[in-house]
Amino acid sequence: MKKSLIYIPFLVALISVCVTSCSNDDDLSSTSVVRATATEENDFDRWLTRNYVEPYNIQFKYRFEDIESSMSYYLTPASYEQSVAMAKLVRHMCLEAYDEITGSKEFIKNYFPKILYMVGSYAYKTNGSLVLGTAEAGTKITLYNLDNLNPKAVNAKTAYFKTIHHEFGHILNQTKPYSTDFAEISGPDYVQDQCFDIYTTDAKALQAGFISPYASKADSEDFVELVALYVNRTADEWEEMLATAGDSGRSKIESKFEIVYNYMNNSWNIDLDELREIVLRRAAEAPNLDFESLDD
Protein backbone atom coordinates (compact mmCIF):
# COMPACT_ATOMS: atom_id res chain seq x y z
CA MET A 1 0.00 0.00 0.00
CA LYS A 2 2.81 2.42 0.80
CA LYS A 3 4.20 2.00 -2.66
CA SER A 4 0.87 2.94 -4.23
CA LEU A 5 0.48 5.96 -1.96
CA ILE A 6 3.91 7.28 -3.05
CA TYR A 7 2.90 7.46 -6.74
CA ILE A 8 -0.62 8.83 -6.39
CA PRO A 9 0.39 12.43 -5.49
CA PHE A 10 2.90 12.49 -8.37
CA LEU A 11 0.22 11.31 -10.82
CA VAL A 12 -2.18 13.96 -9.60
CA ALA A 13 0.49 16.62 -9.97
CA LEU A 14 1.34 15.44 -13.49
CA ILE A 15 -2.32 15.58 -14.53
CA SER A 16 -2.54 19.06 -13.06
CA VAL A 17 0.46 20.22 -15.09
CA CYS A 18 -1.03 18.76 -18.29
CA VAL A 19 -4.37 20.42 -17.69
CA THR A 20 -2.68 23.74 -16.97
CA SER A 21 -0.48 23.46 -20.06
CA CYS A 22 -3.40 22.60 -22.29
CA SER A 23 -5.46 25.42 -20.89
CA ASN A 24 -2.71 27.88 -21.84
CA ASP A 25 -2.41 26.76 -25.48
CA ASP A 26 -4.34 29.81 -26.64
CA ASP A 27 -1.64 32.03 -25.13
CA LEU A 28 1.19 30.56 -27.25
CA SER A 29 2.78 32.79 -29.89
CA SER A 30 2.23 31.82 -33.52
CA THR A 31 5.83 32.87 -34.30
CA SER A 32 8.27 29.94 -34.48
CA VAL A 33 11.34 30.08 -32.24
CA VAL A 34 13.26 28.13 -34.93
CA ARG A 35 14.46 30.65 -37.48
CA ALA A 36 16.72 30.29 -40.50
CA THR A 37 20.11 31.93 -40.22
CA ALA A 38 20.16 35.07 -42.33
CA THR A 39 23.05 35.32 -44.79
CA GLU A 40 23.81 38.64 -46.38
CA GLU A 41 24.12 38.42 -50.15
CA ASN A 42 27.54 39.40 -51.47
CA ASP A 43 29.00 40.16 -54.91
CA PHE A 44 29.80 36.50 -55.54
CA ASP A 45 26.23 35.46 -54.74
CA ARG A 46 24.97 37.97 -57.27
CA TRP A 47 27.53 36.73 -59.83
CA LEU A 48 26.32 33.16 -59.27
CA THR A 49 22.73 34.24 -59.82
CA ARG A 50 23.67 35.78 -63.17
CA ASN A 51 25.97 32.99 -64.33
CA TYR A 52 24.54 29.80 -62.81
CA VAL A 53 21.00 30.23 -61.54
CA GLU A 54 19.46 32.33 -64.31
CA PRO A 55 21.01 30.66 -67.40
CA TYR A 56 21.25 27.07 -66.11
CA ASN A 57 19.07 26.72 -62.99
CA ILE A 58 22.15 25.42 -61.13
CA GLN A 59 22.96 26.24 -57.51
CA PHE A 60 26.69 26.65 -56.86
CA LYS A 61 26.99 26.17 -53.08
CA TYR A 62 30.24 27.26 -51.49
CA ARG A 63 29.10 27.98 -47.92
CA PHE A 64 29.45 24.93 -45.69
CA GLU A 65 26.11 23.23 -45.02
CA ASP A 66 25.73 20.14 -42.85
CA ILE A 67 22.73 18.98 -44.86
CA GLU A 68 24.79 18.96 -48.07
CA SER A 69 27.92 17.40 -46.52
CA SER A 70 28.73 13.75 -45.96
CA MET A 71 28.91 12.82 -42.28
CA SER A 72 31.29 10.00 -43.19
CA TYR A 73 34.26 12.36 -43.47
CA TYR A 74 35.91 15.19 -41.55
CA LEU A 75 35.39 18.10 -43.92
CA THR A 76 36.22 21.79 -43.94
CA PRO A 77 34.62 24.71 -45.82
CA ALA A 78 35.97 25.93 -49.14
CA SER A 79 37.49 29.40 -49.09
CA TYR A 80 35.72 32.29 -50.77
CA GLU A 81 38.61 32.95 -53.19
CA GLN A 82 38.96 29.31 -54.21
CA SER A 83 35.21 29.04 -54.72
CA VAL A 84 35.21 32.07 -57.04
CA ALA A 85 38.03 30.51 -59.06
CA MET A 86 36.30 27.13 -59.30
CA ALA A 87 33.00 28.68 -60.34
CA LYS A 88 34.74 30.44 -63.23
CA LEU A 89 36.69 27.30 -64.22
CA VAL A 90 33.64 25.01 -64.23
CA ARG A 91 31.65 27.51 -66.26
CA HIS A 92 34.43 27.95 -68.84
CA MET A 93 35.75 24.38 -69.09
CA CYS A 94 32.56 22.35 -68.67
CA LEU A 95 29.24 24.17 -68.93
CA GLU A 96 30.19 26.44 -71.82
CA ALA A 97 31.92 23.57 -73.63
CA TYR A 98 28.54 21.83 -73.93
CA ASP A 99 26.86 25.15 -74.77
CA GLU A 100 29.30 25.53 -77.63
CA ILE A 101 28.82 22.09 -79.11
CA THR A 102 25.02 22.05 -78.73
CA GLY A 103 24.52 25.70 -79.67
CA SER A 104 22.35 26.41 -76.65
CA LYS A 105 22.32 26.61 -72.85
CA GLU A 106 19.21 24.41 -72.81
CA PHE A 107 21.18 21.14 -72.89
CA ILE A 108 22.98 21.92 -69.61
CA LYS A 109 19.84 23.48 -68.13
CA ASN A 110 17.81 20.35 -68.86
CA TYR A 111 20.28 17.62 -67.90
CA PHE A 112 23.13 18.88 -65.71
CA PRO A 113 22.91 18.34 -61.90
CA LYS A 114 21.12 21.17 -60.14
CA ILE A 115 23.59 21.52 -57.26
CA LEU A 116 27.37 21.92 -57.30
CA TYR A 117 28.70 21.77 -53.73
CA MET A 118 32.23 22.86 -52.83
CA VAL A 119 34.35 21.46 -49.96
CA GLY A 120 37.75 22.78 -48.93
CA SER A 121 39.36 19.53 -47.72
CA TYR A 122 39.89 16.08 -49.11
CA ALA A 123 37.45 13.33 -48.17
CA TYR A 124 39.61 10.54 -46.77
CA LYS A 125 38.33 6.95 -46.81
CA THR A 126 39.25 4.52 -44.03
CA ASN A 127 41.59 2.69 -46.42
CA GLY A 128 43.59 5.88 -46.94
CA SER A 129 42.27 6.63 -50.44
CA LEU A 130 40.94 10.06 -51.39
CA VAL A 131 37.57 11.06 -52.80
CA LEU A 132 37.88 13.92 -55.32
CA GLY A 133 34.22 14.13 -56.25
CA THR A 134 30.89 12.44 -55.72
CA ALA A 135 27.48 12.53 -57.39
CA GLU A 136 24.04 11.87 -55.95
CA ALA A 137 21.26 10.49 -58.12
CA GLY A 138 21.98 12.91 -60.92
CA THR A 139 21.04 15.93 -58.81
CA LYS A 140 24.27 17.01 -57.14
CA ILE A 141 28.03 16.92 -57.70
CA THR A 142 30.37 17.56 -54.76
CA LEU A 143 33.94 18.66 -55.44
CA TYR A 144 36.50 18.26 -52.66
CA ASN A 145 39.95 19.69 -51.94
CA LEU A 146 39.40 23.23 -53.17
CA ASP A 147 42.08 24.27 -50.65
CA ASN A 148 44.72 22.90 -53.02
CA LEU A 149 43.27 24.31 -56.24
CA ASN A 150 45.77 26.34 -58.24
CA PRO A 151 43.60 28.02 -60.91
CA LYS A 152 46.64 29.21 -62.84
CA ALA A 153 47.92 25.65 -63.27
CA VAL A 154 44.81 23.74 -64.34
CA ASN A 155 44.68 21.75 -67.56
CA ALA A 156 42.33 19.33 -69.28
CA LYS A 157 43.53 16.42 -67.13
CA THR A 158 42.96 18.19 -63.80
CA ALA A 159 40.87 15.75 -61.76
CA TYR A 160 37.98 18.09 -60.94
CA PHE A 161 36.95 18.53 -64.56
CA LYS A 162 37.41 14.90 -65.51
CA THR A 163 35.11 14.11 -62.55
CA ILE A 164 32.43 16.48 -63.87
CA HIS A 165 32.47 14.94 -67.36
CA HIS A 166 32.34 11.47 -65.75
CA GLU A 167 29.36 12.24 -63.53
CA PHE A 168 27.50 14.09 -66.26
CA GLY A 169 27.98 11.02 -68.46
CA HIS A 170 26.07 8.95 -65.88
CA ILE A 171 23.11 11.33 -66.08
CA LEU A 172 23.01 11.10 -69.87
CA ASN A 173 23.17 7.28 -69.71
CA GLN A 174 20.37 7.15 -67.17
CA THR A 175 18.24 9.40 -69.37
CA LYS A 176 18.92 7.44 -72.56
CA PRO A 177 20.41 3.96 -71.93
CA TYR A 178 23.23 2.70 -74.10
CA SER A 179 23.29 -0.62 -75.96
CA THR A 180 23.62 -3.81 -73.91
CA ASP A 181 26.31 -4.88 -76.39
CA PHE A 182 28.72 -2.65 -74.52
CA ALA A 183 28.68 -4.68 -71.30
CA GLU A 184 29.28 -7.94 -73.15
CA ILE A 185 32.74 -6.92 -74.39
CA SER A 186 34.34 -7.02 -70.91
CA GLY A 187 31.46 -8.72 -69.10
CA PRO A 188 33.23 -11.31 -66.88
CA ASP A 189 36.21 -9.03 -66.26
CA TYR A 190 34.44 -6.39 -64.19
CA VAL A 191 35.66 -6.59 -60.59
CA GLN A 192 33.26 -4.31 -58.66
CA ASP A 193 34.87 -2.72 -55.57
CA GLN A 194 38.16 -4.56 -56.06
CA CYS A 195 39.10 -2.40 -59.05
CA PHE A 196 42.05 -0.68 -57.39
CA ASP A 197 43.21 -3.89 -55.68
CA ILE A 198 43.41 -5.84 -58.92
CA TYR A 199 44.48 -3.08 -61.31
CA THR A 200 47.06 -1.23 -59.25
CA THR A 201 48.42 0.75 -62.21
CA ASP A 202 46.94 2.35 -65.30
CA ALA A 203 49.03 0.03 -67.47
CA LYS A 204 47.54 -3.11 -65.91
CA ALA A 205 44.02 -1.81 -66.47
CA LEU A 206 44.77 -0.83 -70.06
CA GLN A 207 46.23 -4.24 -70.86
CA ALA A 208 43.05 -5.85 -69.50
CA GLY A 209 40.91 -3.69 -71.79
CA PHE A 210 39.95 -0.88 -69.39
CA ILE A 211 40.79 2.77 -69.99
CA SER A 212 41.47 3.22 -66.25
CA PRO A 213 41.46 1.06 -63.11
CA TYR A 214 38.11 2.58 -62.07
CA ALA A 215 36.59 1.60 -65.42
CA SER A 216 36.91 -2.03 -64.37
CA LYS A 217 34.37 -1.57 -61.57
CA ALA A 218 31.25 -1.94 -63.74
CA ASP A 219 30.13 -1.40 -67.32
CA SER A 220 28.42 1.87 -66.35
CA GLU A 221 31.69 3.21 -64.94
CA ASP A 222 33.61 1.88 -67.93
CA PHE A 223 31.31 3.74 -70.31
CA VAL A 224 31.61 7.18 -68.69
CA GLU A 225 35.34 6.80 -68.06
CA LEU A 226 35.79 6.40 -71.81
CA VAL A 227 33.89 9.63 -72.40
CA ALA A 228 35.66 11.61 -69.67
CA LEU A 229 39.17 10.48 -70.53
CA TYR A 230 38.69 10.84 -74.28
CA VAL A 231 37.62 14.48 -74.15
CA ASN A 232 40.43 15.35 -71.74
CA ARG A 233 43.27 13.79 -73.76
CA THR A 234 44.91 14.87 -76.98
CA ALA A 235 44.92 12.46 -79.93
CA ASP A 236 48.57 11.65 -79.21
CA GLU A 237 47.89 10.99 -75.51
CA TRP A 238 44.96 8.74 -76.40
CA GLU A 239 47.09 6.80 -78.87
CA GLU A 240 49.80 6.39 -76.23
CA MET A 241 47.25 4.84 -73.87
CA LEU A 242 46.09 2.43 -76.56
CA ALA A 243 49.68 1.49 -77.36
CA THR A 244 50.24 0.68 -73.67
CA ALA A 245 47.14 -1.54 -73.77
CA GLY A 246 48.75 -3.89 -76.27
CA ASP A 247 46.88 -5.84 -78.95
CA SER A 248 44.32 -7.51 -76.68
CA GLY A 249 43.58 -4.52 -74.45
CA ARG A 250 43.49 -2.13 -77.39
CA SER A 251 40.98 -4.28 -79.27
CA LYS A 252 38.56 -4.27 -76.32
CA ILE A 253 38.91 -0.56 -75.66
CA GLU A 254 38.39 0.35 -79.31
CA SER A 255 35.32 -1.90 -79.58
CA LYS A 256 33.79 -0.28 -76.52
CA PHE A 257 34.71 3.22 -77.59
CA GLU A 258 33.00 2.74 -80.95
CA ILE A 259 29.75 2.08 -79.06
CA VAL A 260 30.38 5.12 -76.83
CA TYR A 261 31.09 7.37 -79.81
CA ASN A 262 27.99 6.27 -81.70
CA TYR A 263 25.82 6.58 -78.61
CA MET A 264 26.85 10.19 -77.98
CA ASN A 265 26.38 11.03 -81.64
CA ASN A 266 23.05 9.28 -82.18
CA SER A 267 21.45 9.92 -78.78
CA TRP A 268 22.68 13.44 -78.07
CA ASN A 269 24.00 14.75 -81.40
CA ILE A 270 27.42 15.25 -79.80
CA ASP A 271 30.54 14.39 -81.78
CA LEU A 272 33.18 13.44 -79.20
CA ASP A 273 36.00 14.51 -81.49
CA GLU A 274 34.48 17.97 -81.72
CA LEU A 275 33.77 18.06 -77.98
CA ARG A 276 37.38 17.08 -77.27
CA GLU A 277 38.64 19.92 -79.45
CA ILE A 278 36.43 22.40 -77.59
CA VAL A 279 37.38 21.06 -74.13
CA LEU A 280 41.11 21.10 -74.85
CA ARG A 281 40.98 24.64 -76.25
CA ARG A 282 39.02 25.93 -73.29
CA ALA A 283 41.34 24.14 -70.87
CA ALA A 284 44.32 25.88 -72.47
CA GLU A 285 42.54 29.23 -72.05
CA ALA A 286 41.48 28.60 -68.43
CA PRO A 287 44.68 29.68 -66.57
CA ASN A 288 44.34 33.12 -68.17
CA LEU A 289 40.82 33.78 -66.84
CA ASP A 290 40.24 36.72 -64.50
CA PHE A 291 39.71 35.02 -61.13
CA GLU A 292 39.11 38.21 -59.17
CA SER A 293 36.61 40.38 -61.02
CA LEU A 294 32.91 39.65 -60.57
CA ASP A 295 31.69 42.15 -63.13
CA ASP A 296 30.92 39.68 -65.92
Side-chain angles (χ1 to χ4, degrees):
M1 287 297 291
K2 287 183 179 180
K3 188 173 181 180
S4 298
L5 289 173
I6 290 172
Y7 283 96
I8 289 173
F10 175 75
L11 181 60
V12 171
L14 182 61
I15 293 171
S16 176
V17 169
C18 290
V19 170
T20 302
S21 298
C22 293
S23 66
N24 292 332
D25 279 353
D26 293 338
D27 298 330
L28 293 176
S29 171
S30 60
T31 303
S32 173
V33 296
V34 180
R35 300 180 184 178
T37 302
T39 302
E40 185 176 349
E41 189 179 66
N42 57 40
D43 289 341
F44 184 35
D45 295 322
R46 288 184 280 273
W47 186 92
L48 290 171
T49 298
R50 295 193 306 272
N51 291 278
Y52 275 79
V53 178
E54 291 175 353
Y56 300 114
N57 193 27
I58 294 172
Q59 295 182 65
F60 186 100
K61 295 193 171 188
Y62 65 97
R63 293 185 176 90
F64 197 81
E65 299 180 23
D66 286 343
I67 194 171
E68 299 290 357
S69 304
S70 172
M71 298 302 172
S72 301
Y73 310 109
Y74 294 104
L75 304 174
T76 60
S79 75
Y80 178 91
E81 293 76 15
Q82 297 291 75
S83 297
V84 170
M86 181 60 84
K88 293 201 168 193
L89 288 168
V90 170
R91 182 187 64 165
H92 185 78
M93 295 174 65
C94 300
L95 306 185
E96 291 180 343
Y98 284 99
D99 292 350
E100 188 173 336
I101 196 168
T102 61
S104 169
K105 288 180 169 58
E106 291 302 308
F107 183 72
I108 287 294
K109 187 175 183 179
N110 291 335
Y111 299 110
F112 199 81
K114 297 308 175 190
I115 296 174
L116 288 171
Y117 181 59
M118 304 296 116
V119 175
S121 57
Y122 276 121
Y124 290 94
K125 288 189 172 184
T126 55
N127 62 4
S129 62
L130 304 174
V131 178
L132 298 177
T134 57
E136 297 179 21
T139 61
K140 181 175 83 170
I141 292 177
T142 299
L143 296 178
Y144 299 92
N145 192 37
L146 257 67
D147 290 346
N148 290 320
L149 171 68
N150 181 354
K152 295 293 186 180
V154 298
N155 57 55
K157 291 183 283 187
T158 301
Y160 304 108
F161 312 109
K162 182 258 185 181
T163 297
I164 290 174
H165 288 292
H166 175 110
E167 300 301 347
F168 189 32
H170 278 308
I171 295 173
L172 298 180
N173 295 167
Q174 291 160 11
T175 305
K176 297 181 181 181
Y178 53 83
S179 167
T180 55
D181 294 346
F182 180 89
E184 296 174 2
I185 296 172
S186 291
D189 297 328
Y190 291 113
V191 294
Q192 303 302 320
D193 291 332
Q194 295 176 297
C195 52
F196 291 112
D197 297 326
I198 295 176
Y199 300 114
T200 55
T201 65
D202 290 341
K204 288 182 178 179
L206 287 164
Q207 289 158 13
F210 299 109
I211 202 64
S212 71
Y214 194 70
S216 70
K217 184 174 182 179
D219 66 274
S220 59
E221 303 297 346
D222 196 3
F223 195 101
V224 296
E225 279 286 276
L226 283 163
V227 173
L229 284 167
Y230 189 77
V231 300
N232 283 294
R233 298 295 189 277
T234 66
D236 288 343
E237 289 169 335
W238 185 257
E239 176 56 34
E240 184 179 344
M241 295 170 75
L242 294 180
T244 301
D247 291 341
S248 177
R250 182 184 190 118
S251 175
K252 290 181 180 179
I253 292 171
E254 288 183 331
S255 295
K256 288 185 287 190
F257 183 72
E258 182 179 2
I259 295 174
V260 170
Y261 187 91
N262 290 334
Y263 164 84
M264 291 297 292
N265 214 350
N266 297 333
S267 297
W268 300 106
N269 197 29
I270 290 176
D271 184 319
L272 285 179
D273 287 327
E274 184 180 349
L275 180 60
R276 175 168 68 178
E277 182 180 339
I278 292 169
V279 168
L280 293 177
R281 171 173 49 78
R282 286 181 167 274
E285 297 166 350
N288 298 318
L289 296 175
D290 181 350
F291 295 108
E292 296 181 3
S293 172
L294 292 170
D295 293 333
D296 58 327

